[in-house]
Amino acid sequence: MAQVLGVASLVLGDGGTRREAIAGMIVDATRGTALDRHELRARVGKKTARLVAVCTDVLADPARLDEEEDPSVLRVCAAVTVREVQELVREVRRHGSVAFARHDDPPPKLLGHYRQLVAVFRRRLGRVSPLTPELRAAVAELERDAELETAIAAWRVAHVDAA
């Protein structure tokens, strides 16, 4: 629950609207699950459901962030990403580098992905948004706190078939 509310807080703190905050909470809460878009539209309205759908699709294919023109999509995606990285930092502090084992991608690839997102959001949101420095700081913390060799070993144990 705190993760989802954290996304809403980041969206609102960045000057986002209530609709964007709701969309951010839904996107974050439903990451990795199937989403019935018709039911969602009936529950939250057409505009919010569309924002959720676009953000979900963009986060599944982050290369689309460079092409995205809607500032609402960029804001929601940035907020979801900031909270995701912050949560991983907390897990690494709590459980050590074994926290990386829950991710599908190996730790070096995941860290590279987050570095790329920092660059994209810096380019797209610039200094206008406080989300960019928040993400940059969270990724720097993750890189500093993660013991990469241990994280890789833990990931390999958890993903024997993929390694």
Side-chain angles (χ1 to χ4, degrees):
M1 181 65 117
Q3 169 82 11
V4 173
L5 293 175
V7 170
S9 176
L10 286 169
V11 167
L12 294 170
D14 189 52
T17 65
R18 181 173 163 248
R19 178 176 59 87
E20 292 169 347
I22 292 167
M25 291 189 299
I26 294 168
V27 169
D28 188 61
T30 59
R31 293 277 313 257
T33 63
L35 191 60
D36 183 338
R37 293 181 182 195
H38 295 293
E39 180 182 345
L40 182 63
R41 187 178 307 124
R43 289 177 180 257
V44 298
K46 186 177 179 180
K47 289 181 180 180
T48 303
R50 182 198 162 281
L51 182 56
V52 169
V54 173
C55 291
T56 299
D57 293 345
V58 167
L59 286 168
D61 181 13
R64 292 180 51 188
L65 284 168
D66 273 325
E67 301 157 9
E68 186 55 55
E69 296 298 325
D70 186 344
S72 293
V73 171
L74 293 171
R75 177 179 290 120
V76 170
C77 289
V80 169
T81 304
V82 168
R83 288 301 294 174
E84 182 178 296
V85 175
Q86 289 173 337
E87 182 59 28
L88 182 54
V89 168
R90 274 191 287 288
E91 288 179 25
V92 166
R93 287 183 180 155
R94 196 174 307 128
H95 304 291
S97 293
V98 72
F100 282 94
R102 74 174 178 86
H103 292 274
D104 292 334
D105 291 327
K109 185 174 181 179
L110 186 63
L111 287 169
H113 170 73
Y114 289 141
R115 282 188 215 105
Q116 286 178 317
L117 289 175
V118 167
V120 168
F121 287 123
R122 186 182 303 164
R123 197 168 48 250
R124 297 307 315 279
L125 297 174
R127 299 184 190 279
V128 177
S129 172
L131 294 171
T132 304
E134 287 277 343
L135 180 58
R136 186 175 56 235
V139 171
E141 273 185 85
L142 183 60
E143 290 175 323
R144 186 182 62 242
D145 292 351
E147 297 171 4
L148 202 51
E149 288 182 26
T150 306
I152 293 168
W155 184 88
R156 285 185 177 146
V157 167
H159 300 270
V160 173
D161 297 335

